[in-house]
Amino acid sequence: MTSPRWTTVRHSERPELWDRIPEDFAGVVPEYNLHGDIGDLYWDRMFKEFPEYQFLLHDEEADAVLGTGRSLPRAWDGTPAGLGNGLDESIAAAFAEREAGIAPTALCALGVEVSPAHQGRGLSKVLLRELAVLARSAGLDTVIVPVRPTHKELYPTIPIERYAAWTREDGSPFDPWVRTQVKVGGVLAHGTAQSSRITGTVAEWESWTGLEFPEDGDYVFPHGLAPVHIDRARDLGTYWEPGVWITHDARSD
């Protein structure tokens, strides 16, 4: 129980609540971001093979889903280099490590989202705390997060390594989502340029972004954190979403 008004529910307990996510959380993630190459391969398996690591906040009185947290256990050696390239690599590693019988040491957060109807209530911090609780219950000491920085879309041509190092006058991280995580005890490790790969046909990318791509080249597009590369001869758009690695000591919550 996280509050008199809501409870934490794992997918393994009430999987039917997840049927509401597409409608209740519409627009939280840009359309293009729903078509990741690795995510498409592992999405269904994640809920079938790791249901205990997927959770949501449920307001029982209103029967409303307030927020969700998706995660997978991973083996991490505790070094910045050991974090890898980000989201895609972490998802693939979690499944490969389970198949190989490698014991996880950290919980990797894949997504922390709040329903549009319930934003502005501080629920992102609640979800981060719940990730720490989930990690401890699984015997894991650390939560690692390949963060999608929310204001990077305003600076798509700035390399993520530079963007991740930006600070405000008070010394706190420039990016709001990174700053929120640091405020609750997270430690910024580093930026990574190739966290998640998204490919599609030119027509698909035009549909996802609402733009036209008349010729080959790199294009800045709405809500993109970096440019997408368009190759019309191959009918291919290729995009690498950058991210920022944040680590949390789950024992200190």
Side-chain angles (χ1 to χ4, degrees):
M1 181 74 72
T2 58
S3 160
R5 286 293 304 276
W6 59 71
T7 57
T8 302
V9 182
R10 300 188 188 186
H11 186 271
S12 53
E13 298 168 329
R14 293 193 60 186
E16 76 280 1
L17 289 175
W18 267 257
D19 294 338
R20 306 180 189 180
I21 300 300
E23 180 177 352
D24 291 354
F25 286 68
V28 171
V29 176
E31 178 62 30
Y32 79 87
N33 221 264
L34 301 175
H35 303 279
D37 295 1
I38 292 295
D40 285 349
L41 287 175
Y42 289 99
W43 180 262
D44 290 338
R45 287 185 62 189
M46 183 171 68
F47 288 92
K48 291 176 181 177
E49 299 179 35
F50 294 94
E52 68 276 23
Y53 292 100
Q54 324 311 323
F55 69 93
L56 52 76
L57 298 181
H58 181 233
D59 184 328
E60 293 186 321
E61 182 179 332
D63 189 24
V65 176
L66 311 181
T68 68
R70 299 186 306 279
S71 61
L72 289 172
R74 252 197 67 186
W76 177 47
D77 63 7
T79 68
L83 290 167
N85 282 331
L87 185 67
D88 286 359
E89 193 170 305
S90 293
I91 293 173
F95 285 91
E97 288 160 3
R98 170 170 280 196
E99 292 173 2
I102 299 173
T105 58
L107 184 67
C108 182
L110 310 178
V112 178
E113 298 159 4
V114 177
S115 165
H118 300 283
Q119 292 178 1
R121 299 172 56 185
L123 292 176
S124 60
K125 294 179 181 179
V126 175
L127 290 166
L128 290 171
R129 288 197 298 269
E130 289 302 316
L131 283 165
V133 172
L134 179 57
R136 290 196 298 271
S137 70
L140 307 174
D141 294 337
T142 311
V143 175
I144 58 177
V145 191
V147 171
R148 182 182 187 276
T150 52
H151 276 190
K152 180 64 172 70
E153 66 179 51
L154 303 176
Y155 307 92
T157 62
I158 300 297
I160 189 62
E161 296 82 2
R162 284 169 51 194
Y163 179 84
W166 286 1
T167 59
R168 302 195 302 175
E169 290 186 1
D170 63 2
S172 63
F174 174 82
D175 187 81
W177 186 214
V178 173
R179 188 163 63 247
T180 293
Q181 299 216 27
V182 170
K183 282 182 178 179
V184 298
V187 176
L188 193 157
H190 58 81
T192 176
Q194 297 186 340
S195 183
S196 181
R197 186 173 185 257
I198 302 173
T199 59
T201 66
V202 175
E204 285 174 329
W205 270 102
E206 289 180 338
S207 173
W208 298 339
T209 63
L211 297 180
E212 294 183 16
F213 302 113
E215 62 181 39
D216 292 352
D218 295 329
Y219 290 84
V220 171
F221 61 95
H223 306 299
L225 309 194
V228 58
H229 181 74
I230 298 296
D231 185 334
R232 294 194 63 87
R234 299 173 61 199
D235 191 22
L236 180 66
T238 303
Y239 169 79
W240 274 106
E241 178 122 302
V244 178
W245 273 114
I246 306 286
T247 66
H248 297 261
D249 185 346
R251 298 167 299 181
S252 63
D253 189 285

